[in-house]
Amino acid sequence: MANKTYGYCRISTRKQDIERQVRNIKSEYPRAEIYREKYTGTTLDRPNWKRLNSLLKKGDTVVFDSVSRMSRNANEGMELYEDLFNRGVNIVFLKEKHVNTEVYKKSLEQSIQTTGTEVDIILEGINKYLITLAKKQIKLAFEQSEKEVMDLRQRTSEGIETARRKGKQIGGVPGKKLTTKKSIESKKKILALCDEFEGIYSDKIVMQLTNLSRNTYYKYKREIREELEKECK
C-alpha cells in the first residue's frame, strides 16, 4: 500500500481562520488529506487527531502549519513527536522546518563511525552529544510555542485586571461592576485554561478545575468574551 500524506489543521478560537492553514499545507502538499480540528484542548482531547493518529503508518507523512498546531505543551509535544518518529511517521512543520523528522534522521545518520579502538570511547560520547543536541532543538521549538501561549494568557489577564482597576465593566449587566473576589479569580482561571482563550483545556475540564457550575461557567465565559471584544474595538 502506498504511503499517504495528511495535513492536520487546528484552531482554538472562533476568530481564527482554519482555511489559512489548509492553504499553506495544500500549497506545498496538494495531495494531502486534510483533517480539521476546532476549539479543542490537549492533544488527548482532540477527536479528529485521534482518528488521524490511528491511521498513520510507517512511511506516512503528517504536515502541520507550525509546531503550535501539533501541541502547545512542550512535554506533550515532545512525547508525541518521539512516538511518531519511532513509528516511522514523517513529521513536517511548514514554519519550523529545522525540526522536521527528516532533519532529525540526518542528525542520527551523520553520527561519527566507531573505529574498534580506544578512540571509540570519545567517539561514542560525541555521537551521544550530537543526538542530544538535535533532540534539544526539537524540544526548544515546542517550548517556544508554549511560551508564546503563556505570554498571551498573561497579557490577556493583565488587560482584564487593568480594565477592572480603571472601573471598566467586565461583562455582566450594564452599569453593574464586578465586585466579588471569587468571580474575578474564576475568570482569570478561565482565561488561562480555556482553549477558547488560547488555553489548552476543554470546557468540561476547566469546569472541573475551577469547580464552577455549568451555568456560572458559561456566564463567565460570555462576559469575558464580551469584554475582550470591546477592548478590540
Side-chain angles (χ1 to χ4, degrees):
M1 185 179 293
N3 296 133
K4 293 186 176 182
T5 298
Y6 301 92
Y8 179 75
C9 305
R10 181 179 68 85
I11 56 174
S12 53
T13 71
R14 292 176 176 82
K15 293 182 179 180
Q16 294 175 316
D17 179 16
I18 200 168
E19 294 307 316
R20 177 187 60 79
Q21 296 176 44
V22 175
R23 289 193 299 272
N24 290 345
I25 292 174
K26 283 290 190 178
S27 66
E28 295 195 36
Y29 297 86
R31 294 182 177 275
E33 183 178 338
I34 304 296
Y35 278 71
R36 294 171 172 81
E37 202 89 70
K38 297 183 179 181
Y39 321 134
T40 55
T42 64
T43 303
L44 297 178
D45 292 328
R46 302 174 194 163
N48 283 340
W49 170 254
K50 288 180 181 178
R51 294 189 190 97
L52 173 56
N53 196 20
S54 68
L55 296 174
L56 292 173
K57 297 179 177 60
K58 183 176 181 179
D60 286 346
T61 298
V62 57
V63 186
F64 301 87
D65 187 49
S66 70
V67 165
S68 65
R69 298 304 90 195
M70 181 177 180
S71 177
R72 282 195 172 116
N73 179 283
N75 290 329
E76 180 189 80
M78 192 64 212
E79 183 178 338
L80 179 56
Y81 186 102
E82 288 185 316
D83 174 63
L84 294 173
F85 179 84
N86 291 332
R87 286 162 51 191
V89 176
N90 300 313
I91 308 171
V92 174
F93 301 111
L94 299 182
K95 289 185 172 61
E96 299 93 359
K97 296 182 185 295
H98 65 288
V99 293
N100 291 348
T101 47
E102 282 303 312
V103 177
Y104 187 34
K105 286 177 184 177
K106 288 180 180 178
S107 298
L108 298 180
E109 292 169 357
Q110 290 172 355
S111 296
I112 302 171
Q113 298 299 311
T114 54
T115 64
T117 67
E118 292 180 351
V119 177
D120 287 351
I121 297 175
I122 298 175
L123 297 181
E124 287 174 3
I126 295 174
N127 285 338
K128 287 181 180 179
Y129 170 73
L130 292 175
I131 293 171
T132 300
L133 189 62
K135 195 171 182 179
K136 185 176 181 180
Q137 289 299 313
I138 296 165
K139 189 171 184 181
L140 187 63
F142 284 108
E143 288 176 343
Q144 179 62 32
S145 176
E146 183 177 23
K147 182 179 183 301
E148 290 173 359
V149 174
M150 296 303 292
D151 288 346
L152 180 58
R153 291 180 197 164
Q154 181 65 26
R155 290 195 299 272
T156 303
S157 180
E158 289 174 353
I160 292 290
E161 179 63 18
T162 298
R164 186 186 70 81
R165 289 177 178 274
K166 289 181 178 180
K168 292 185 179 181
Q169 178 196 337
I170 305 178
V173 180
K176 185 178 180 181
K177 294 181 180 179
L178 189 63
T179 56
T180 67
K181 183 177 180 180
K182 180 180 178 181
S183 60
I184 294 173
E185 292 302 316
S186 294
K187 288 183 180 181
K188 284 183 179 180
K189 290 179 181 178
I190 294 172
L191 280 166
L193 298 171
C194 179
D195 54 22
E196 185 174 334
F197 304 110
E198 296 298 328
I200 62 173
Y201 298 110
S202 64
D203 289 328
K204 182 178 179 181
I205 294 176
V206 180
M207 268 188 273
Q208 294 173 347
L209 293 174
T210 55
N211 197 30
L212 293 171
S213 68
R214 181 181 179 84
N215 288 341
T216 300
Y217 173 76
Y218 283 106
K219 173 177 177 289
Y220 286 167
K221 271 192 70 176
R222 184 182 68 254
E223 291 175 351
I224 293 169
R225 197 182 303 116
E226 289 172 352
E227 181 61 27
L228 291 176
E229 288 174 353
K230 286 181 182 179
E231 291 295 316
C232 292
K233 290 180 180 179

